Amino acid sequence: MNTIRLAVPDKATRGEIIEIKAMIQHEMESGHRPDEYGRPIPRFIIKHFECRYNDRVVFRAEFFPAIAANPFLSFFTRATESGTLEFRWIDQDGGVATELVELEVD
Amino acid sequence: MSVSRRTLLKTSAIAMGHWLAPLPAFATREDANAAIIATFGDRPLQEGRVSVQIPAISENGYSVPMTVEVDSPMTEADHVVRISIFAEENPIPNVAHFELRPETGIARVQTRIRLAASQRVRAVAEMSDGSLWTSYTFSIVTLAACVL
């Protein structure tokens, strides 16, 4: 399992715009590198990222090989109600990693 | 240490093989423009409203911090729908697409990218009214991610 690191506030006031930072451990093998014998190392990257807030998509990203290893993202969203933030990374072969975070809004 | 003729030939063949291995072809500004058209269609691009922040000198091309920011009120009526990043001289000009919503609130996204050479990094932002805005920033890369 790839290590996931999230920075999300536990609490927010209603209407507050919060910053979310999300990182996943992944080599993001570009497919452009040769191995020690000059053979190309096959590409293996995370292709999609999605953040859902109470099941509503609030942010999406699509990655190409030019995203650095251990892809990091910082983005914003407005805290509207208490609930769950779901983070989902999908690699090029459809492999999925997810993590949930509870957000309390008052 | 004595090196046999056979070993020498074998190792040099491997070394040559590595040297002759096809290096990824670098994209050009035209390829980047083609990638922009493939993403957004052939629509007019206006300069402004979007900014790409990368260091003027990137010491390590394998991991360059990048912030893209769009001047937008982020309301239901007027917000950023999508931001795409293009590195004009990477083997593949596409870097990332980001989809935003009115509730994103602040149109600013940060990530870390790979740069294969000193080059221009361009952002294109699509607004909810369908207009496209662009700008670029040049970065000198001292350690290029040349086989990134």
Side-chain angles (χ1 to χ4, degrees), chain A residues 18-85:
Chain A
I18 56 169
E19 183 179 13
I20 293 169
K21 292 180 182 171
M23 195 186 86
I24 188 166
Q25 178 196 14
H26 196 279
E27 64 266 39
M28 293 296 281
E29 188 59 60
S30 67
H32 302 309
R33 291 196 312 153
D35 67 10
E36 56 188 311
Y37 300 109
R39 298 171 302 208
I41 303 172
R43 175 168 302 154
F44 182 49
I45 64 166
I46 291 188
K47 196 62 189 143
H48 295 280
F49 168 83
E50 198 174 86
C51 175
R52 287 169 180 264
Y53 183 10
N54 287 341
D55 272 336
R56 183 178 154 80
V57 175
V58 292
F59 181 84
R60 248 195 207 128
E62 181 180 349
F63 294 155
F64 291 84
I67 293 293
N70 305 323
F72 163 83
L73 280 170
S74 150
F75 56 94
F76 293 85
T77 197
R78 194 180 298 274
T80 50
E81 56 185 356
S82 293
T84 310
L85 287 161

Side-chain angles (χ1 to χ4, degrees), chain B residues 43-122:
Chain B
R43 292 150 57 190
L45 290 172
Q46 301 172 76
E47 290 285 333
R49 285 189 73 177
V50 53
S51 73
V52 188
Q53 293 142 36
I54 48 173
I57 297 175
S58 303
E59 282 179 20
N60 179 3
Y62 287 95
S63 183
V64 179
M66 182 203 72
T67 303
V68 58
E69 198 164 3
V70 187
D71 176 17
S72 166
M74 295 306 280
T75 60
E76 202 62 50
D78 182 5
H79 59 271
V80 181
V81 174
R82 183 158 57 147
I83 306 170
S84 291
I85 310 298
F86 302 91
E88 295 183 338
E89 288 178 50
N90 273 2
I92 300 172
N94 299 75
V95 175
H97 304 306
F98 305 118
E99 281 179 40
L100 282 64
R101 304 277 185 271
E103 61 264 38
T104 301
I106 298 171
R108 183 161 76 227
V109 179
Q110 275 177 277
T111 188
R112 290 194 276 259
I113 66 172
R114 289 169 172 155
L115 294 179
S118 300
Q119 60 180 300
R120 307 198 315 192
V121 176
R122 180 174 287 283

